[in-house]
Each structure stands twice: as structure tokens, then as C-alpha cells.
Amino acid sequence: MDALIDASLKALHLLFSGDMALWEIVGISFRVSLLALLIATPPAVLLAFVLAYGNFPGRRLIIALFSTLLSVPTVVIGLTLYLILSRQGPLGEWHLLFTQNAMIIGQIALAFPMLVSIGHSALQAADRRAWETARTLGASHLRALLTIIYEVRFGLLAAVLASFGRIISEVGASMMLGGNILHHTRNIPTAIALETSKGEFAQGIALGMVLLVMAATLNVLLHHFQGKGFVGS
Amino acid sequence: MDALIDASLKALHLLFSGDMALWEIVGISFRVSLLALLIATPPAVLLAFVLAYGNFPGRRLIIALFSTLLSVPTVVIGLTLYLILSRQGPLGEWHLLFTQNAMIIGQIALAFPMLVSIGHSALQAADRRAWETARTLGASHLRALLTIIYEVRFGLLAAVLASFGRIISEVGASMMLGGNILHHTRNIPTAIALETSKGEFAQGIALGMVLLVMAATLNVLLHHFQGKGFVGS
Amino acid sequence: MSTLHFRDIHKHYARRTILAGLELCLRTGSCTLLTGENGTGKTTLLRILGGFEKPEQFAADTGHAQLNWRHYRKLLQSSVLYLHQQPYMFEGSVRDNLSFALDRSLPKAEREQRIHTALQWAGLEKIADTRAKTLSGGEYQRVALARAWLRQPRILLLDEPTANMDREARNRTISLLRQLRDDGMALLVASHDPECFSSLVNEHLNLSAGRLQTVTPASRFVNMTLLQQAS
Amino acid sequence: MSTLHFRDIHKHYARRTILAGLELCLRTGSCTLLTGENGTGKTTLLRILGGFEKPEQFAADTGHAQLNWRHYRKLLQSSVLYLHQQPYMFEGSVRDNLSFALDRSLPKAEREQRIHTALQWAGLEKIADTRAKTLSGGEYQRVALARAWLRQPRILLLDEPTANMDREARNRTISLLRQLRDDGMALLVASHDPECFSSLVNEHLNLSAGRLQTVTPASRFVNMTLLQQAS
Amino acid sequence: DDKPANMTLKMATTTSTENSGLLTDLLPKFEKESGYSIQVIAVGTGKALKMGEDGDVDVVLVHAPAAEKEFVEKGYGDKRYPVMYNDFIVLGPDADPAGVRDTKTAPESFAKIAEKQAIFISRGDDSGTDKKEKQLWETAGIKPAGDWYREAGQGMGKVIQMAGELEGYTLADRGTWLAGVDKSPLKIVHEGDKDLFNPYGVIAVSQTRYPDINHTGAQAFIDWIVSAKGQQAIADFKINGTPLFTPNADKPATAK
Ligand SMILES: Nc1ncnc2c1ncn2[C@@H]1O[C@H](COP(=O)(O)OP(=O)(O)OP(=O)(O)O)[C@@H](O)[C@H]1O
Ligand SMILES: Nc1ncnc2c1ncn2[C@@H]1O[C@H](COP(=O)(O)OP(=O)(O)OP(=O)(O)O)[C@@H](O)[C@H]1O
Ligand SMILES: [Mg+2]
Ligand SMILES: [Mg+2]
């Protein structure tokens, strides 16, 4: 218990001491994850939409596949990409391993199935009349899609936030692909892994709290921006 | 690339050789995660429902809080519980640390916020008339709730599957709380972490594939059972 | 003849006042017709009486007790059935939707018998096993009404029950409602089709500017009914 | 007067045949009324013509070309507007919903002018900035119709446009539709209220058993219209 | 401008060197002198060697003599340079229920633990420490199995934690132990015999195999760490006044 209190105090201290090393790690974390999310979201939402509105053979299997991919440990995704990006692998010449770009690739691979799976479930809950009304009023496919997205924005926001949570907090792929190199690819989760492997639990929890505070800010902002999210009449 | 093929072959071999050690690990994985999910789901869905249908002050903040909790690395959740369950901690006498029960507790803590967050987004997409119609036709609160759950079963299934994915694949909390002890608390993700730390990448991916196959079976079954999941008229 | 007397019903949305201290009586065995222009608050009133919309002010007098909103909801919501202007169908067949309204303690044979009667009455036999969510507009209304009939509430609030119905279904609806009324149910019907209900109603009220005006008073209708029964 | 001739429209759900090789003409400047019992397939037909439901068989003849279903959808969906039996409102105010139907390339002043006119016509000025999803049943219908008017399609398919509307709104609807028809739009109206539209329709068709029967032929109506115009 | 083009160097190493704080102390000195910037990837010995085999790092610094030998023999690396050593210790609860304190050698203490069925936490992760432990059991002539013998499959720090929690014994490297000594209820119950010797080596990944690897940088690092300066820096590194590693580049020790 003392350890928890100790950790909380440390977290506060870390946050407000303006420790440059900490902020660098925080910066890398958010830069990588936000970029990955930004890249993954548009195609994922589009695919989710196709899966919700299309009616082609194999549709259900694809949906099941994407929710299955959520059960694959992040380290396995990391490993697979490692083997591809490694010098031995097919994309070895690109020299991506142990860079932030490799981490971004890894996090895209992690965010994508979650965005598709939960995004699909949000989009399929939409009223089909929304799409039909938009189309019959002359909206282009794109505009109709954007309209639907706005109609189910709460569900999609949940998908985006869950995916963000998944990648900002994951350690397996970032560790494999980034290598946890100080000043380069050390983000909060890999830093936490390092601290805990040293037995520095308080430091680990403190870093976790820093992440929590940052994520809370983001979440509250987005939720506020998004609206009410309770069942309307 | 060879490594990937090698891994796939290994996975097939592992799956069909009837390796007892493997099946033991698989058994522990699924036992722990399914139990955790079973315990976490009812209260989480109830809370999600209250958050979707109630209209009380702080409601939005609570929703934001739960989606924030998704950004906390699993190892931090693990660490916090570790400090509570540890000999030094408040629940030290229970001697839960490094047992499957500790892992179950950790996974409940991981599944709960995701179930609430995505479950809420599924439930808030329901038509309020569903609740009203059920109630006006004389359904008890419980029956009306079950009716709504059935109406949005696709969204809730996505929440449950995403949560299952989160806990069956997470390594941070299981490692901290279970200790990755062979025959006792070694599950697939911690076994994978071990193999990769040894540099046995192929073995790690093979284990990942075993998990994938098992999870795919579960997902396809559930999706099949659940129904179509595309936008009805 | 027991009477439920509502008083002082106030309701506003943002700065718009919808119901401004409205007064209303519901009597067992009596049918009240509610008319009013679009957006005057008919649905709002019915939803309040059904327990689904919270008014700012509210009082109900059962003859035995004065009830505030919370007590009303608690005590009476279970005897009131509100039929939505746009009914909602649950996932499942028409049959499933009908059986939802039945008491679960009824023996199976009895349940099936009642559902059968309801299907027959509403002309839904052919589509009894169709997924209810795919029904046509008029079929929606019919199933919703059949569901209400199966439920047998003490007070039935109907929001445009005949919209989207074809002529025959309307006639059947009227005769069903007459039967329910004569069995002692209190009916409140909101409609833009007063003619359709003219043979049925005991009192016709018009909602405008948040208040009710009597178009045809109960007394006259009661006499008419008596005369009809006499003849 | 250009004519769109549909032939061989077949549609069934599971084992139920809804439309059995139905034939239909839509003429510019002409209004066709479609009646039929609940569940006969009026909505299904309108949705097919609107491009939202895929028929098993379908042929359309524009006078210049024979179109199959895919071509029809591609070429004509953008000139057809289908107004749902239960209209859908987008998130946002009534004004937002109306502006959705306007061409985005219109200058701002023009857009506002048109929206203003539409609001006025539909009697929606007071609730122009209300969240559209909270509107009453009749207001829903009105906004949907105003939206259709703003869109100015070549073919307008109306599914029970006057359900839930009060008397005045119905009258306004009729006069709006007359104006649209006379401007050269082709109208197809499904309704259970033939009387309401009697002054407007050029042809009255009844759907039953998957086929259309002419109740009042186009010719008689055309004469009537000419007579009316002459008088 | 005859500076080598690639001034960043990737090194895979074991967690023990990183976690003990040695590298944080050592590397800035090297970077300052040479101008190289060195990126450390701290993982298990097995994984570190694997990264070297794949050519994903330029140099490895590990402690698993047998595996290192194989690594060089298979041509993944050019030559193993001895750098330093520390030693392993047997940790146990202060009460010492198995009576390990009375034993003379490490295999003897292991035998005692097995005999008393006292809880023993094994790394079980094929790391340098784990290999050493397995070798000690073999020397003791025991095949450890049973509920008392728990294979944790985790890093050293974690295993020390677990042993503390479960009041069991374990084999640990002194560096990790010193770094966390103040947080653990355990005590050293056996130390100091030559069976517990733990040497570290450094190997540059083969340029023949991977021509575009930063071999020059790797060699520069090796040259520095085995130089008098590097060796002195290792000797100077202390935790709470206790030196952790003993430099031994000049007198290559033979691993048992
Ligand atoms: N949640 C809400 N927020 C704001 N305004 C609302 C809300 N619900 C209803 N209103 C407004 O209150 C007014 C009354 O609505 P109500 O549905 O009671 O009318 P109505 O008499 O049933 O009309 P109709 O004949 O069209 O069904 C409408 O103008 C509607 O826009
Ligand atoms: N997706 C579907 N699956 C199965 N049956 C359907 C489906 N959609 C419609 N139906 C059935 O087809 C029939 C025709 O429906 P439609 O909505 O076209 O009737 P309608 O003539 O518009 O009736 P109403 O006057 O009640 O609006 C109905 O009996 C309906 O139950
Ligand atoms: Mg209404
Ligand atoms: Mg219809």
C-alpha cells in the first residue's frame, strides 16, 4: 500500500518537475500512437462500412476474422512484423527495424482490426434509412458515408478510443519493433516494462499514472466534443 | 520469411502432435480468460446500461473514465494489483499471488472497462422505444433489460469479443500476478513472451498461431450463433 | 365507473411550453379522443400519462389518493399501456412479439390460444412467422394493437393507431376498441382522423396552446351511447 | 410529355411473392395514386423504383433506351426521390436537415432563401432550430416533404406522405404536390386516403395480388384536368 | 572527411547490464570519446544473440559463453572478446529453512534445497543464469521436479521478487541483486565458489555475412571497452560503494 502511495507521489512529482527525459518518452508515445491511429482509421472505417452495408459472400467470415485478430498477442504481431522487417526478411533493405516508423507500422497493425471490428458493430447499428435518405437526397457516396459516420459518431468514437487505448498501452510490438532504445524508441509502456523488470515498481506505476492523466485529458476532451451518448428518443 | 514458414509448420505440428505441455498451457489460458469474462460481463453490462439509460450528473465523466482506463498498460494494472495482493499489501494474507485466481482477478480488471466502454456504446445506439415498449407491455426491469440486450446483441458481442481478445492475449498482468510458473500459471501469452525472450521466435509465433486458431473457432461460432450483423431496414 | 383525474400537467422543452397546466379525466369504460395540430403536444401528453416523459408539474387523483409524478409512475405504470405513434417491433417473429405481451405464468396452451385469436383478429395469420422488423407500415400498427389487446391494460393510450392502416384494418380497429371500452378499459386516442372514431368516442378534446378544450362533452356522447344501446 | 415505362417487376421475400410481373408508367407532369391493402407491396414497389430494393426481374423503358436494374439504378437513381413511409431525420436542426437536400454549389444567400421558403411553406419557422430528431410525428412528415421539395427531383415517390399530418398540413401538401406536378415532376403517391388526393391524381392504381389494377384510368383524369383548367 | 558515414551503432545486450546501470554509466564516456551514438536494445541473452544472427544489430554484449562460442563458430560473429565478469549467488529467505548456509559448494546447496523440498524459483527462460542453474543441478546429480521447483520463465529482477514473495530460493547474478537488494526480504545464502563465475563477452556481428552492417563502429566500441580506459570505467562502476563487475579483458578467463 505504501508502495502505491509512494508511486502516486512520484507520478505527481514526475509530471510537474518538468523532467525532460519523461516528456521525451511521453512525446514519443503519443507521436507514434496518434500517427498510427490517424493512418489506420480512414481505411478501417471504410472497410467497417463495407462490411456493415455490403451483402457479399464471406462478409460474416471477415467480420469474425477481424475480431479473432484481437486475440493475437501484440508480441506475436510484433514478432511477425519483425521477421518481415528484419534484415533477413523481405523488407530488410528498408532498414526500418528499431525505428519509430517500425513502431508505427506495428501499431497500425494492432489498431486496424479493433477499428474494423468495433467500428463495424457501431455502423451496423445505424438505421439503414439514414443511408437511403442521404442518397435519395442526392448525396454522393462519400457524403452519405460521412453522414452515417456522424450519425453513429458515438459508437465510432468508442472504437477509436479503444484502439487508441490498445496501442498507447501495448508493449509487445513496440518492444520488438522499436527495441526500447532510449531517446529513440522508448515509449511509456516499454519504459514501464523496463522499470518493472528492474523491480522499480513505484517508478513503473508512476509512469502508468502519467499515461493515465494524459489519456484522461484526451478522452474527456473527445467525449465532451462528441456529445451526450445516451439513448435519445 | 523462412522463419515465418518455419513458424507456421511448427504451429501445425504443435497443434496436431497432441503435445500435452501445449494443451496444458492452452487450457490454463482459456480457463482463466473465460472465467474472468464470465464474472466481469454481467456487472459491466449492467453498468453500461445504467450509463446509457440513466441521466444523472457525472454520467459522461464516468464514461470517459472507463475509456481512459483502456489506455493504462496491462502491466500497470498488474503491478497495482500485485502491490495489493503482495505479502506486504492489504490482501497479503490471502496468498493469492502467483496463482490462477490472481490472474483471473487481473483479467477481470482488464476486461471490465472495455466491456463497459464498448458495451455502453452498443447500448446507447439502441432505440429508446425498445425499452419503453418492453416496459409498457408489462416486462419487469430485468426482462426489459434482457430484451434490450438481445436487441443490440451484435454490438454487445463485439464488446465481449474485444474484451476476450484483450485478456486472452495480454501478458503484462498475467506475468505480474501469475508469475508464468510452468504447470501452474503459464498461459499462452506468457509462454510466448518466454519463447521470444529466448530468441525462439518461431516457437513464439507458433504458439501465437495456436491461440489464433482457438480464438478463430470461438469467434466464428459466436458470430454464427449471433446472426447477420449488417444494417437491416 | 372509476375516474382518474389529472391536473396541472406542465411540460416544456427548452423555452417552449408544450403543456400549460392541463386537466384531463380518464374514465373506465369510456373513450376519449384527443385531436390537435401537429406539434401541439398530443404525443407528449400520452407519453407523460404512460410514464415515459417527466412533466414539470403533475397531479393525479384516483378518487382515493392524490398522486405526484413518482407515485403515479410507481403505482399505475403497470396498468397503463402506451402505444407509440411509431410502434417498435422486437427482434423475432410476429408471434414472438405477440407473446411478449402475455403474462409468462399463463399455461402454454392458453398462451397459444390467445395469440391465435390475436393473429386472427388482426389479419396476421399469414405473416405470423415473419420477422416482425420487416413488416409493412400498416402491419406494424396492427401487430402493435394486437399486442396491446393481449396485454389487457386498465388504461390504453393510443397514439395515431390507424395511421398507415387500410380501410378494413381501421374498421376492425374501431370494433376492437369498442369492445375494449365496453369491457371497462379507459381509452385515450390521439388522432388526426376524428371521423374515423366518431362512432366510438365518449368525449372529444382538442389540444391547443397547451390546454384542452372540449369539442363534444362526455354527457352528450354518453346519451348517444345509451340511445344506441336502447335501439 | 415523357414517359418512364416499367415492366416485369418481380419481387419476392423468402417464399412470398410480393410483386408478380407488375407494369407501370410514370409520366412527367402527372400524379399516380397507388392504393392497396396493408402488406400488398406498395412500399416495396416504391423502394424498388427508388433504387433501394433489388427486384428479381425488372425492365424500364425511357423511350430511348431499355434499362435493366443495374443501369436504371446508375442512370436514374439521382433523379428519383423516395420519401420513406417513416421518414428519417439526420442529427442536427430542422434547418440542417433541409439544407442537406440543397446542392452544395448554390451560393449561400440563395440557399438561405430557399430554406426560408421551405420552412414557411411547411409551417416550421418556429421549430427551425430544434433538433430534428425530437420532432413530432406530423412535423417529421412535413420536414421530409419540405426536404423533397428543396431537392427538386424529376420523379417523386411518396409513401403515405400525409399519415400523421393534421388537416391543414394535408391541404398544404396537396397544393404543394399539385404545384410540383404542374412544374413537370412525375409523382407516385402510395396512400390509404384516396379521397385526400382525389383532386390531384391523374391515375389511380390499386395493387393487389402482386399486380396493378386501374381504378380510374389516366385518360379520364386527363380530361378532368383539362376541363378544370378550361373552367 | 574520412569519418565513417554511419555514426549510430546498435547493440543488443542482456537486461543485467542495462538494469544494473552499468551501460548508462559506461556508454556516454564512449560516445563522448568516439563520436558514435550507441543505441541499446536490452533483452534476454537468447534474444540478443538472435538479433545478432539476423544482422539486426551491430554488436552484442552477453553472458552465455557456450552460446557465444557457437555464435562465433557458426560465423555470425568474428571473435569473442572477454570484457568482464561478476558472479552468481544463491539467494534464500533469512530463516534458511533448507540450511543452505552450511554448505560449501553451489551443487551442494542445491542438493540441500531439493532434499528439503524448499521452494526454488528457476528462471526457466534459457538465459545465461538459467543455463548456469541447469548446469549446477546436473553437477549435483539431481533432476529438479515437483511442486517445490517452480519454473517462472521471467527476467532476473522478477524472479528475485517472486522468490521473496514465496519465501523461496533462487540463483541470481550479483548485478541484479545489488540493484534491488534494498527491496528484497531475501539474503545471500551462498556465494563465492568458482562454480558461480559469470563472464561477459562482446562480439561484433560478422561483416562478411552482413556487408552493410556498421562493423567499423562495432569494432570501435569493442576496441574501447577492452582498452585500459574502458576497463577502468567498468572497474569504477559501483552500486552503494560495491563494485559490480570485474574487468578481465587482459586475462581471458576460461568459462567452466
Ligand atoms: N425532446 C424534445 N426536445 C425538444 N422538443 C421536443 C422534444 N420532444 C418533442 N418536442 C417538441 O414538442 C412538440 C410537441 O410534440 P408532440 O410529439 O407531443 O406533438 P404531437 O401533438 O404529437 O404532434 P403530431 O400530431 O405531429 O404527432 C413538437 O413541436 C416537438 O418538436
Ligand atoms: N425484408 C423483408 N423480408 C421479408 N418480408 C418482407 C420484407 N420486407 C417486406 N416484407 C413483407 O412484404 C410485404 C409487403 O410489404 P410493403 O411494405 O411493401 O407493404 P405495403 O403495401 O407498403 O403495406 P402498408 O400499406 O402497410 O405500408 C409485407 O407483408 C412485409 O411483411
Ligand atoms: Mg404525435
Ligand atoms: Mg407501406
Side-chain angles (χ1 to χ4, degrees), chain A:
Chain A
M1 223 53 210
D2 291 356
L4 271 179
I5 295 160
D6 183 20
S8 311
L9 291 177
K10 231 178 202 150
L12 281 177
H13 180 73
L14 277 174
L15 268 176
F16 294 109
S17 66
D19 178 359
M20 278 319 289
L22 173 71
W23 286 105
E24 187 188 56
I25 292 175
V26 170
I28 291 172
S29 261
F30 277 78
R31 202 185 93 84
V32 168
S33 293
L34 289 176
L35 260 170
L37 201 60
L38 216 65
I39 297 169
T41 303
V45 169
L46 198 67
L47 179 55
F49 174 80
V50 170
L51 290 172
Y53 278 76
N55 197 2
F56 47 90
R59 200 181 52 80
R60 277 164 64 170
L61 216 64
I62 298 177
I63 298 167
L65 173 78
F66 276 102
S67 60
T68 300
L69 284 179
L70 297 181
S71 299
V72 180
T74 61
V75 63
V76 174
I77 307 275
L79 262 172
T80 310
L81 286 170
Y82 178 97
L83 294 177
I84 291 169
L85 297 181
S86 149
R87 212 170 277 264
Q88 303 284 291
L91 302 184
E93 302 101 84
W94 297 10
H95 293 290
L96 282 171
L97 214 53
F98 307 134
T99 64
Q100 285 186 20
N101 288 341
M103 293 167 81
I104 291 176
I105 294 172
Q107 297 200 353
I108 289 174
L110 289 171
F112 198 81
M114 185 168 261
L115 285 167
V116 171
S117 173
I118 308 182
H120 165 260
S121 112
L123 283 163
Q124 64 83 30
D127 196 320
R128 186 173 270 273
R129 287 176 303 158
W131 170 259
E132 292 177 352
T133 305
R135 288 288 293 151
T136 208
L137 289 174
S140 64
H141 281 97
L142 178 66
R143 190 167 173 223
L145 172 59
L146 293 176
T147 305
I148 308 294
I149 288 176
Y150 189 67
E151 294 289 307
V152 299
R153 66 201 174 289
F154 193 86
L156 286 177
L157 179 72
V160 168
L161 287 178
S163 307
F164 176 74
R166 178 170 210 212
I167 60 180
I168 193 83
S169 71
E170 80 82 31
V171 65
S174 295
M175 192 68 112
M176 279 308 301
L177 298 169
N180 191 22
I181 300 168
L182 191 62
H183 306 311
H184 292 271
T185 57
R186 179 164 303 166
N187 62 10
I188 307 185
T190 59
I192 292 174
L194 179 63
E195 296 300 333
T196 54
S197 81
K198 287 196 229 166
E200 296 278 0
F201 293 168
Q203 186 79 8
I205 291 188
L207 279 166
M209 284 186 183
V210 171
L211 184 54
L212 186 79
V213 170
M214 306 284 303
T217 314
L218 191 82
N219 271 277
V220 170
L221 277 177
L222 279 175
H223 271 285
H224 189 80
F225 182 69
Q226 171 279 328
K228 58 180 188 41
F230 80 108
V231 179
S233 51

Side-chain angles (χ1 to χ4, degrees), chain D residues 6-185:
Chain D
F6 298 97
R7 270 182 294 108
D8 276 334
I9 303 186
H10 277 267
K11 175 77 194 174
H12 61 78
Y13 290 117
R15 248 171 291 153
R16 267 185 73 203
T17 299
I18 307 291
L19 306 178
L22 171 154
E23 192 160 349
L24 173 74
C25 281
L26 292 184
R27 297 184 180 82
T28 55
S30 163
C31 174
T32 307
L33 177 68
L34 183 64
T35 55
E37 289 176 15
N38 289 142
T40 43
K42 300 180 296 299
T43 298
T44 306
L45 176 59
L46 263 55
R47 286 176 58 81
I48 289 173
L49 302 185
F52 292 125
E53 204 84 54
K54 194 169 179 255
E56 278 84 43
Q57 274 183 49
F58 179 93
D61 190 341
T62 64
H64 310 287
Q66 292 273 3
L67 302 175
N68 66 15
W69 168 246
R70 272 191 47 229
H71 291 141
Y72 170 74
R73 244 183 93 145
K74 220 175 197 165
L75 288 175
L76 280 158
Q77 198 177 24
S78 62
S79 24
V80 180
L81 193 154
Y82 167 64
L83 200 142
H84 286 81
Q85 189 161 2
Q86 262 146 37
Y88 184 86
M89 292 293 131
F90 297 117
E91 196 55 71
S93 67
V94 169
R95 204 183 289 280
D96 297 337
N97 268 275
L98 293 178
S99 94
F100 195 98
L102 285 176
D103 203 314
R104 309 204 105 186
S105 61
L106 282 178
K108 203 168 168 235
E110 171 87 17
R111 292 170 69 90
E112 277 176 9
Q113 179 53 42
R114 291 210 196 171
I115 289 174
H116 183 74
T117 317
L119 285 170
Q120 219 163 16
W121 167 78
L124 297 166
E125 298 110 315
K126 268 199 231 150
I127 50 168
D129 296 305
T130 310
R131 191 170 160 242
K133 283 198 199 276
T134 66
L135 293 185
S136 81
E139 289 165 346
Y140 250 69
Q141 297 282 9
R142 293 186 195 191
V143 176
L145 203 65
R147 227 164 34 178
W149 176 68
L150 286 171
R151 167 79 181 136
Q152 294 278 348
R154 303 257 301 282
I155 299 169
L156 184 53
L157 310 170
L158 300 155
D159 206 347
E160 307 259 2
T162 56
N164 297 307
M165 276 191 185
D166 62 31
R167 192 161 311 219
E168 205 208 313
R170 282 185 206 184
N171 292 337
R172 279 201 253 183
T173 301
I174 302 298
S175 70
L176 173 80
L177 292 182
R178 179 172 300 118
Q179 188 190 318
L180 294 177
R181 183 195 67 178
D182 296 344
D183 288 354
M185 209 178 271

Side-chain angles (χ1 to χ4, degrees), chain B residues 39 43 51 58 83 101 128 137 145 147 160 164 168 171 192 217:
Chain B
I39 297 170
L51 290 173
L83 294 178
N101 288 341
R128 186 174 269 274
L137 289 175
L145 171 60
T147 307
V160 169
F164 176 74
I168 193 84
V171 64
I192 293 174
T217 316

Side-chain angles (χ1 to χ4, degrees), chain D residues 203-230:
Chain D
E203 189 176 11
H204 177 177
L205 303 172
N206 189 66
L207 180 60
S208 114
R211 291 172 185 280
L212 287 172
Q213 270 115 22
T214 310
V215 179
T216 327
S219 55
R220 269 199 55 199
F221 273 113
V222 171
N223 292 347
M224 276 166 62
T225 323
L226 290 174
L227 281 173
Q228 278 174 1
Q229 282 172 349

Side-chain angles (χ1 to χ4, degrees), chain C:
Chain C
M1 193 161 89
S2 103
T3 306
L4 193 55
H5 191 144
F6 299 97
R7 270 181 295 109
D8 275 334
I9 304 187
H10 277 267
K11 175 77 193 175
H12 62 79
Y13 291 117
R15 248 171 291 151
R16 267 186 73 203
T17 299
I18 306 291
L19 306 178
L22 171 150
E23 193 162 346
L24 173 75
C25 281
L26 293 182
R27 295 183 183 81
T28 54
S30 162
C31 173
T32 308
L33 176 68
L34 183 64
T35 56
E37 291 177 13
N38 290 141
T40 43
K42 299 181 296 300
T43 298
T44 307
L45 176 59
L46 263 54
R47 286 174 59 79
I48 289 174
L49 301 186
F52 293 125
E53 203 84 53
K54 194 171 180 249
E56 278 83 42
Q57 275 184 44
F58 179 92
D61 190 341
T62 63
H64 310 288
Q66 292 274 1
L67 302 175
N68 66 14
W69 168 246
R70 273 190 46 227
H71 290 141
Y72 172 75
R73 243 182 95 147
K74 220 175 196 166
L75 288 176
L76 280 157
Q77 199 177 24
S78 61
S79 24
V80 180
L81 194 153
Y82 167 64
L83 201 143
H84 286 81
Q85 189 161 3
Q86 262 146 38
Y88 183 86
M89 291 293 132
F90 297 116
E91 196 56 73
S93 67
V94 170
R95 205 183 288 279
D96 297 336
N97 268 274
L98 293 179
S99 95
F100 194 99
L102 284 176
D103 202 314
R104 312 203 102 187
S105 60
L106 282 178
K108 205 168 167 234
E110 169 87 18
R111 292 171 69 92
E112 278 176 8
Q113 178 52 42
R114 290 208 194 172
I115 291 174
H116 183 73
T117 316
L119 286 169
Q120 219 164 15
W121 166 77
L124 296 167
E125 295 109 317
K126 268 198 232 151
I127 50 169
D129 296 304
T130 311
R131 191 169 159 242
K133 282 197 200 281
T134 66
L135 294 186
S136 80
E139 289 165 346
Y140 250 70
Q141 298 281 9
R142 292 187 196 191
V143 177
L145 205 65
R147 225 165 34 177
W149 176 68
L150 285 171
R151 167 77 182 138
Q152 295 278 351
R154 302 258 302 281
I155 300 170
L156 184 53
L157 310 170
L158 301 155
D159 206 347
E160 307 259 359
T162 56
N164 296 306
M165 276 192 184
D166 63 29
R167 193 160 313 217
E168 204 208 316
R170 281 186 210 184
N171 292 338
R172 279 201 253 183
T173 302
I174 302 298
S175 69
L176 174 79
L177 293 182
R178 178 170 302 116
Q179 188 191 319
L180 294 178
R181 184 196 64 177
D182 296 345
D183 287 354
M185 209 178 271
L187 302 180
L188 179 58
V189 184
S191 176
H192 291 295
D193 234 345
E195 295 82 24
C196 180
F197 293 91
S198 59
S199 71
L200 177 71
V201 293
N202 303 97
E203 188 175 13
H204 177 177
L205 302 173
N206 189 65
L207 179 59
S208 117
R211 289 172 187 279
L212 288 173
Q213 270 116 22
T214 309
V215 178
T216 329
S219 54
R220 268 199 57 199
F221 274 113
V222 171
N223 292 345
M224 278 165 61
T225 323
L226 289 174
L227 282 172
Q228 280 174 359
Q229 284 173 347
S231 68

Side-chain angles (χ1 to χ4, degrees), chain A residues 75 79 82-83 85-89 92-93 95 97-99 172 175-176 178-182 184-186 193-202, chain E residues 8 10 15 18-20 24 37-43 47 50-51 53-58 155-158 161 176 179-180 183 210 212-214:
Chain A
V75 63
L79 262 172
Y82 178 97
L83 294 177
L85 297 181
S86 149
R87 212 170 277 264
Q88 303 284 291
E93 302 101 84
H95 293 290
L97 214 53
F98 307 134
T99 64
M175 192 68 112
M176 279 308 301
N180 191 22
I181 300 168
L182 191 62
H184 292 271
T185 57
R186 179 164 303 166
L194 179 63
E195 296 300 333
T196 54
S197 81
K198 287 196 229 166
E200 296 278 0
F201 293 168
Chain E
T8 49
K10 288 193 168 83
T15 39
E18 170 91 345
N19 289 5
S20 62
T24 330
S37 124
I38 189 156
Q39 301 185 344
V40 176
I41 296 149
V43 290
K47 195 161 159 190
K50 174 82 172 135
M51 286 173 170
E53 283 176 22
D54 290 347
D56 291 315
V57 292
D58 306 309
M156 195 69 254
K158 283 283 189 50
Q161 277 286 337
T176 313
K183 295 190 207 75
Y210 303 109
D212 59 344
I213 214 156
N214 191 357

